[in-house]
Amino acid sequence: MTPKTPSIITDTEGAHKPGSGGSAEIAARWTEARLAYPLYAALATQFELALAPYPAGELPPTRPTRDVFDRDLQWFDAIDQKVRAFQIRQLPPEILNASEEALRAFIQRLLKRSGKTNADRDKIDLLLVQYFALCAPEALYREEIKLADVARVLQPVLIEADASNLDWCEPLEQILKTLEDCHSLRDMMEHGLLEQGRLLKDSAGDMFYDPAALVAFCRFNFSLRRAFIRMLHADLNAVKTAVDVLESAGVKSVDCRRAGFSAAETTARLRYYSENWRQPFHKDYTESSVSRAFEQLLALRADLEEAVARTHDGSSLAVGSVTPSKTSARPDLAATSKVGEIEARVAPKNPSAHTPLDLAGIGEPAPVGTAPASNTAPSKPAKSASETNVPPTDPAEVEKCLEAIWEQLIAAPPSRGRSMSTVILQDTKVLLSSWEVAAFVAQGDQEAEDLRRAVVARALLSVAMDGRKRSGEENALASALLHARGEVSYFQGRVELAKRSKNTEAAVNLGISTKRLLSTIEEAEKL
């Protein structure tokens, strides 16, 4: 007897779970799943989420039996529940961008999910801008992008793509206008542009899935990505140019401790670093680990620009080296012309039209559960803390640190146009953002007090880390870690309170300062 040829199930044969319509809808769902399968299989394999149901290179059957249909769609649903946006971003470009159909099917599967979570939202947010980057005409990479342009490109994946302006999305336009005046990643960080965009997305709820909102966020994300790359190139070029200027002046080494290098880092090694800098994407990605690499680059630029300024001014010079002044956190104003020369020489070139843009996930939240989250205190205990059971930093030391920072900022206020300031505590450099400086030098309220506490916790930990490296002293580091972890819990509550109160500025500023403290904690725990 000839066996019956398997056929795709119909709704009368037991459709797959709720909302499945007739046979045509079921067939469409299966076709969509087959198209998306290569991306799902790549994610499942790369991140060990589940065993792929088919051998590498093989697709699900065109016409499955009922058992295969049910089994495979359950597998797709399981991957959807496990995978996070940061993992999608780490897929090799040759896989993620291999097929417009696969990317479109992936997005449409996510859009059709009922009861979408924040993780689903973040994946849709990421994949839509990736789809736009893949399918947009080359001319749009060099032109101002309008909502109508985005809606037109997204129409195949977002059938009801709408170019209407939504009142609640207006802050995105304001952020993009601010972005036009940014010339360095430092400027973007100082304005808290990424955080402002996230807060708006977090507050949107189900409004985020309005087709017009999806178009607006896609345009915002792509514009942000393009500007991010432009400013990243500018910062890298500024570092290279500063090294050129220092070497031409006969400087052989520079104090770059603020950037995590030595007090006498050779210009040759700094050149190698700048020429071989790569954005860090690795298996144990966290938002703080990636932002730390960018902050290191910005700190290095600041170190080198100060060194250039001192070389021009002729102060604080040792033979063949440049070291920081102990009395001022800022270079002399008369020396700013040389820094201006650097800035004039690093106007970034526009990236080629379709240079692979691997920053699709800019602004996405850090993973939860699969890696240390950037907004939670690291759980790994300090070895010395567990062994010696030392108490947190003494309140008197906290107050002493606060006074030392305040005295330096009052004595040498930041020069106009400079967004970040440096204080030196026990030979340790600590970088402060403009809002952190303002919390010390201006009359402040509870928000200013919170920021001062965040800076002090970071400064105490930085000093203890340097002490550990120099002398091997562990107790001070353990105490500073305990203090910092306790402060993080407090700051998280304050950030959430600011969000609920719609105090965007306070939430953004304290949120960034908290992330910097968390980043410092992660570094300290590695010692």
Side-chain angles (χ1 to χ4, degrees):
M1 180 169 134
T2 305
K4 182 179 178 182
T5 303
S7 60
I8 189 166
I9 64 172
T10 65
D11 54 335
T12 58
E13 293 174 299
H16 180 69
K17 291 199 179 180
S20 55
S23 58
E25 181 182 343
I26 295 172
R29 290 173 62 200
W30 183 253
T31 299
E32 180 180 87
R34 287 187 77 248
L35 289 172
Y37 176 77
L39 294 176
Y40 277 77
L43 288 165
T45 302
Q46 182 169 333
F47 297 101
E48 301 178 348
L49 302 176
L51 291 176
Y54 300 97
E58 183 178 321
L59 291 175
T62 305
R63 298 177 65 81
T65 63
R66 169 180 171 175
D67 289 342
V68 170
F69 180 89
D70 286 342
R71 181 202 69 189
D72 285 3
L73 286 191
Q74 288 174 5
W75 179 85
F76 276 95
D77 290 342
I79 299 301
D80 282 333
Q81 291 176 2
K82 293 178 181 178
V83 76
R84 296 293 180 263
F86 82 98
Q87 294 168 321
I88 296 173
R89 184 172 67 174
Q90 290 184 77
L91 282 179
E94 61 270 19
I95 294 178
L96 185 58
N97 300 326
S99 166
E100 180 273 338
E101 285 185 326
L103 198 56
R104 169 162 40 100
F106 195 173
I107 296 170
Q108 289 176 335
R109 265 191 58 84
L110 292 171
L111 285 171
K112 292 172 184 175
R113 280 175 62 84
S114 60
K116 288 185 280 290
T117 64
N118 287 345
D120 293 324
R121 179 202 64 194
D122 295 333
K123 288 182 283 188
I124 292 168
D125 194 36
L126 167 62
L127 288 168
L128 280 175
V129 72
Q130 191 66 27
Y131 183 90
F132 180 83
L134 178 66
C135 301
E138 291 189 7
L140 283 182
Y141 274 67
R142 299 182 296 272
E143 299 174 356
E144 179 184 357
I145 299 173
K146 300 177 180 178
L147 289 172
D149 298 323
V150 178
R152 185 168 53 254
V153 173
L154 293 186
Q155 199 278 330
V157 69
L158 200 60
I159 306 302
E160 299 177 356
D162 187 351
S164 301
N165 288 300
L166 298 177
D167 289 342
W168 70 269
C169 287
E170 179 59 28
L172 296 179
E173 291 298 317
Q174 298 171 7
I175 295 172
L176 292 179
K177 288 181 181 178
T178 303
L179 193 64
E180 294 175 359
D181 297 326
C182 295
H183 304 290
S184 163
L185 294 181
R186 179 189 302 163
D187 300 329
M188 179 185 286
M189 292 172 64
E190 285 295 300
H191 288 294
L193 301 186
L194 299 180
E195 285 73 14
Q196 290 180 44
R198 285 181 199 151
L199 287 176
L200 184 63
K201 184 170 65 173
D202 288 342
S203 66
D206 289 340
M207 292 191 300
F208 177 80
Y209 300 105
D210 183 318
L214 292 173
V215 168
F217 272 95
C218 182
R219 172 176 175 265
F220 170 77
N221 289 333
F222 185 83
S223 300
L224 195 66
R225 172 203 298 195
R226 190 169 59 176
F228 193 101
I229 293 174
R230 168 178 58 82
M231 287 181 274
L232 174 61
H233 289 174
D235 286 320
L236 286 169
N237 288 337
V239 169
K240 296 173 186 175
T241 301
V243 172
D244 288 341
V245 172
L246 290 168
E247 288 185 337
S248 67
V251 175
K252 300 300 181 184
S253 64
V254 185
D255 182 354
C256 293
R257 285 172 293 170
R258 177 168 52 189
F261 293 91
S262 70
E265 199 66 48
T266 65
T267 52
R269 183 164 184 263
L270 294 173
R271 179 181 298 282
Y272 179 84
Y273 169 86
S274 64
E275 291 176 348
N276 293 275
W277 191 91
R278 293 290 183 274
Q279 182 180 351
F281 290 119
H282 40 76
K283 187 173 181 180
D284 60 343
Y285 167 86
T286 64
E287 184 183 33
S288 59
S289 68
V290 173
S291 63
R292 189 161 59 241
F294 292 123
E295 289 187 353
Q296 182 184 38
L297 175 63
L298 297 180
L300 179 59
R301 177 176 180 176
D303 281 334
L304 291 174
E305 287 181 349
E306 288 187 7
V308 168
R310 290 192 179 91
T311 301
H312 179 265
D313 186 51
S315 63
S316 301
L317 280 177
V319 178
S321 67
V322 176
T323 55
S325 168
K326 294 282 185 177
T327 59
S328 174
R330 284 278 166 205
D332 193 286
L333 294 180
T336 56
S337 61
K338 208 64 177 175
V339 176
E341 175 187 331
I342 293 177
E343 294 174 345
R345 291 170 58 183
V346 298
K349 299 178 181 178
N350 290 329
S352 59
H354 269 288
T355 299
L357 301 177
D358 61 353
L359 298 176
I362 289 174
E364 79 180 43
V368 177
T370 56
S374 68
N375 61 347
T376 57
S379 59
K380 175 184 175 183
K383 179 179 178 181
S384 56
S386 62
E387 291 181 350
T388 62
N389 196 30
V390 297
T393 303
D394 186 271
E397 287 298 316
V398 174
E399 186 66 24
K400 181 180 178 182
C401 179
L402 187 148
E403 290 292 331
I405 295 172
W406 180 82
E407 289 174 359
Q408 290 190 44
L409 292 175
I410 293 297
S415 56
R416 181 180 300 177
R418 300 301 296 274
S419 57
M420 304 182 93
S421 298
T422 303
V423 295
I424 301 176
L425 304 169
Q426 300 181 31
D427 213 30
T428 295
K429 286 184 174 183
V430 180
L431 191 65
L432 276 67
S433 295
S434 58
W435 63 83
E436 293 173 333
V437 174
F440 280 88
V441 301
Q443 290 292 332
D445 48 14
Q446 182 62 47
E447 295 168 13
E449 180 180 341
D450 292 341
L451 289 170
R452 290 193 294 268
R453 286 177 60 172
V455 171
V456 168
R458 189 170 78 237
L460 287 168
L461 192 51
S462 298
V463 170
M465 288 168 61
D466 283 351
R468 171 70 174 82
K469 294 173 184 176
R470 287 193 298 265
S471 66
E473 167 60 35
E474 294 186 350
N475 286 352
L477 178 58
S479 294
L481 269 170
L482 287 174
H483 174 75
R485 291 196 191 101
E487 291 289 79
V488 163
S489 298
Y490 168 77
F491 298 143
Q492 289 170 342
R494 295 292 300 173
V495 169
E496 289 304 315
L497 179 61
K499 288 180 180 179
R500 291 195 297 269
S501 303
K502 306 297 183 182
N503 190 343
T504 301
E505 183 178 3
V508 167
N509 290 347
L510 184 57
I512 296 175
S513 295
T514 302
K515 288 175 183 176
R516 289 177 180 170
L517 177 56
L518 282 161
S519 178
T520 307
I521 290 173
E522 288 185 11
E523 290 183 45
E525 289 179 333
K526 296 176 182 178
L527 296 179

